[in-house]
Amino acid sequence: MSAPFREIEVLLPPAVAYDEFARYEALLHAAGLQPGQADFVHLRKRSIDARGRSPQVRLRADIYQTPPPPSLFGPWFQYPDVSQARRTVLIVGAGPAGLFAALRCIELGLKPIVLERGKDVRTRRRDLAALNKEHVVNPDSNYCFGEGGAGTYSDGKLYTRATKRGDVGRILRCLVQHGATPDILVDAHPHIGTNKLPSVVAALRDSVLAAGGEVRFDTRVDDLVLDHHRLRGVVTATGEALEADAVILATGHSARDIYELLHRRGVLIEAKPFALGVRVEHQQELIDRAQYRLSERGELPAASYSLVHQTQWQGRQRGVFSFCMCPGGFIVPAATAPGEVVVNGMSPSRRDSRFANSGIVAAVELEDMDVRQYGALAGLRLQQQIEQRACQVAGNTQRAPAQRLGDFLKGKLSAELLETSYQPGLVPVAMDDVLGAGLAERLRQGFQDFGRKIPGYATNAAQIVGVESRTSSPVRIPRDRDTLEHPEVRGLFPCGEGAGYAGGIVSAAMDGERCAEAALAAIGAK
């Protein structure tokens, strides 16, 4: 295999780094070469360094003077025909965990049958339009439920810190093979974009079908086929019983009916910490100026930020932090049932909206919930209470409660709100009435600290929109650390965000692959 002639790392001005020809010449120059003296320049990593007076772009690249290895270019994955495979795996949920579990099952010679309560990625758009324009919430098809899961129409960020859980590069290569831009292989914070991710998701599904797997839409799981302490299969909403050698449960962090089902059927689940708060929305120009210290960002991408602060209230310390920051993005309605208001953020691939938004959320620990009354569902009940209150105070539609940030810090009702990217509309309210005293006070402390870090951040030039409550699952479905099987129910493999083992597209995809491998190990051990 051909090895690179030289590995280099350089800092370049944005005008050079984002111009393909200028970048090529600059990288060759850094390697001591002239154009024509290298067969190939392979860009491996790209990140922005904004610590100095002028932002620079840090590039890492391999220079080849002989033909580069074919492994750089793919295709990286080939899927055998499993249509006649003897062993089958039911996968509940067609989000990233479920789809990648299905593809890994195929690689391992297992036939996956994917059950998705929502609609295919294209048909799903109609329900999102009805949610945004007519305030109609379809409990089975919305921003959280449907092919591709919550990430498909709410951003498509691919950055993860879960690098020890699997091969991040493998997941990214699979996405590129299915149509994602190759930039995700090199950017420090890769992002596909809500406008492009649906076609990638559809291509992943097509690979499952082409290899003989099955994907069934509009198929909600309403019950379990339990045989003593073994899960044999599931029962759908139509009454159809489906059995398989193993069941991978990858239903996402908002499938509350699944938690209720497990609880009702006596399958062990646990309350877990999560985070809850609001979305804060600024003009993107304000964030660009603060982060890049330039009057205009020029060739640089829309600036983002990451913030964290430790708060104290009634003797308890809790973190307040930014979550799912969306530069050049939009706020969207993420409710999964009528009578609740939930917001989330997304960005198109170009991140060219005039607005920047981010979740600003506070940690919610077990002692902050009513575990004595609600047990394992305590966090879920707290989520529901706040989401329903948000809906009530804003008029029982999908209009969201909001307050200008400076007014929130002063405890003052906003006389008027700013222009917003949130399509259903906003209603001025005192957000303390939605969040409660403790959560509101923690967020105030966090915003005050963030205002010291980013000039202009914590003023009436921004507004907060509620509520950001689906940061992660408030329930954990336990599993054995080694076998990934439920400790009490054999054949059940809790997976991804909904089970409490992932936090985003990439980590969920990696967990899906791990669960497929664990299912094969269990089936082979029979």
Side-chain angles (χ1 to χ4, degrees):
M1 182 178 292
S2 176
F5 162 71
R6 186 164 298 168
E7 300 175 8
I8 60 171
E9 181 173 315
V10 296
L11 278 172
L12 297 175
V16 176
Y18 289 102
D19 181 287
E20 187 173 358
F21 183 72
R23 180 177 67 229
Y24 171 75
E25 286 196 324
L27 290 171
L28 285 184
H29 178 75
L33 300 173
Q34 298 296 321
Q37 290 185 305
D39 269 22
F40 186 66
V41 176
H42 175 51
L43 187 61
R44 289 195 295 117
K45 187 62 69 176
R46 177 172 58 200
S47 60
I48 297 170
D49 188 338
R51 293 172 294 180
R53 289 186 177 181
S54 298
Q56 300 283 295
V57 181
R58 187 178 301 276
L59 301 178
R60 275 187 263 169
D62 293 337
I63 311 296
Y64 289 87
Q65 286 195 302
T66 53
S71 59
L72 286 179
F73 307 105
W76 297 287
F77 301 91
Q78 296 182 2
Y79 302 106
D81 184 350
V82 296
S83 57
Q84 303 302 314
R86 183 173 56 87
R87 294 173 293 184
T88 60
V89 177
L90 284 174
I91 300 171
V92 186
L99 288 173
F100 275 81
L103 291 173
R104 187 67 180 134
C105 280
I106 291 169
E107 288 184 291
L108 299 171
L110 306 172
K111 179 178 178 178
I113 302 172
V114 182
L115 310 179
E116 170 55 52
R117 69 186 297 165
K119 300 177 182 178
D120 68 88
V121 73
R122 186 174 299 276
T123 308
R124 185 179 171 190
R125 291 173 178 163
R126 300 171 190 165
D127 297 310
L128 301 187
L131 179 56
N132 275 291
K133 298 175 182 178
E134 303 167 22
H135 301 219
V136 175
V137 181
N138 182 333
D140 288 320
S141 180
N142 44 63
Y143 275 96
C144 292
F145 300 151
E147 185 181 20
T152 301
Y153 287 107
S154 53
D155 207 65
K157 290 185 186 69
L158 302 176
Y159 178 66
T160 180
R161 293 186 177 90
T163 54
K164 294 182 180 179
R165 300 184 189 179
D167 185 350
V168 174
R170 173 183 162 87
I171 302 301
L172 298 182
R173 289 190 295 273
C174 185
L175 291 169
V176 169
Q177 184 167 315
H178 288 86
T181 171
D183 285 350
I184 67 173
L185 299 176
V186 300
D187 284 332
H189 289 80
H191 173 251
I192 295 179
T194 300
N195 55 322
K196 293 188 175 181
L197 191 55
S199 62
V200 176
V201 167
L204 292 170
R205 176 234 304 161
D206 288 343
S207 285
V208 174
L209 297 176
E214 297 181 24
V215 181
R216 304 186 188 183
F217 297 111
D218 296 306
T219 306
R220 188 179 69 245
V221 169
D222 276 0
D223 204 356
L224 309 174
V225 180
L226 281 169
D227 181 7
H228 294 90
H229 293 288
R230 179 164 190 85
L231 183 61
R232 299 290 183 185
V234 300
V235 180
T236 71
T238 62
E240 181 183 11
L242 299 169
E243 296 194 7
D245 295 286
V247 177
I248 295 176
L249 194 62
T251 49
H253 59 40
S254 292
R256 290 171 171 166
D257 57 326
I258 293 296
Y259 302 137
E260 302 273 8
L261 168 61
L262 295 173
H263 190 61
R264 184 174 70 250
R265 297 289 260 119
V267 176
L268 178 65
I269 59 175
E270 304 166 343
K272 69 174 274 291
F274 64 109
L276 198 151
V278 296
R279 281 262 146 193
V280 62
E281 186 171 56
H282 294 83
Q283 288 289 318
Q284 182 63 50
E285 287 181 352
L286 186 151
I287 303 301
D288 290 341
R289 288 194 302 270
Q291 295 297 82
Y292 292 142
R293 296 180 295 281
L294 297 171
S295 58
E296 294 185 0
R297 71 173 188 252
E299 297 84 359
L300 289 164
S304 63
Y305 57 80
S306 179
L307 299 166
V308 63
H309 178 67
Q310 293 298 321
T311 68
Q312 291 284 346
W313 187 72
Q314 292 189 344
R316 295 177 179 176
Q317 180 173 294
R318 298 285 184 270
V320 170
F321 53 94
S322 57
F323 170 82
C324 185
M325 197 273 151
C326 299
F330 303 87
I331 300 177
V332 297
T336 53
E340 64 189 29
V341 167
V342 183
V343 296
N344 198 353
M346 54 79 79
S347 296
S349 59
R350 294 179 63 183
R351 290 178 163 172
D352 53 1
S353 161
R354 293 182 292 110
F355 300 97
N357 73 79
S358 178
I360 301 295
V361 295
V364 178
E365 302 293 340
L366 295 182
E367 58 185 331
D368 302 322
M369 313 172 192
D370 193 349
V371 178
R372 177 173 296 183
Q373 179 175 357
Y374 298 115
L377 300 178
L380 187 152
R381 297 287 180 253
L382 178 61
Q383 269 186 340
Q384 287 177 313
Q385 291 163 9
I386 293 179
E387 292 168 4
Q388 291 167 3
R389 196 155 63 231
C391 186
Q392 292 163 5
V393 301
N396 292 305
T397 68
Q398 282 302 297
R399 292 199 298 169
Q403 191 172 9
R404 291 175 78 159
L405 181 49
D407 291 339
F408 173 69
L409 294 178
K410 296 174 182 177
K412 173 185 173 184
L413 183 65
S414 298
E416 59 181 5
L417 298 172
L418 302 169
E419 185 182 5
T420 182
S421 64
Y422 183 72
Q423 193 171 350
L426 304 178
V427 177
V429 305
M431 289 301 292
D432 290 53
D433 295 340
V434 176
L435 301 167
L439 187 55
E441 174 56 28
R442 292 194 188 281
L443 293 179
R444 280 195 183 89
Q445 292 180 28
F447 279 124
Q448 287 164 351
D449 178 73
F450 301 159
R452 291 187 285 269
K453 294 173 178 175
I454 298 180
Y457 186 92
T459 69
N460 267 353
Q463 59 194 359
I464 58 173
V465 181
V467 287
E468 172 74 58
S469 51
R470 307 291 179 91
T471 56
S472 64
S473 170
V475 174
R476 177 177 288 108
I477 307 173
R479 69 188 188 189
D480 183 271
R481 182 175 181 178
D482 298 318
T483 67
L484 307 190
E485 200 168 19
H486 191 278
E488 296 181 356
V489 180
R490 288 176 299 147
L492 171 59
F493 295 85
C495 181
E497 284 200 47
Y501 300 102
I505 292 172
V506 172
S507 60
M510 290 191 295
D511 201 56
E513 291 200 328
R514 291 181 65 211
C515 285
E517 293 161 4
L520 175 64
I523 293 169
K526 284 184 177 181

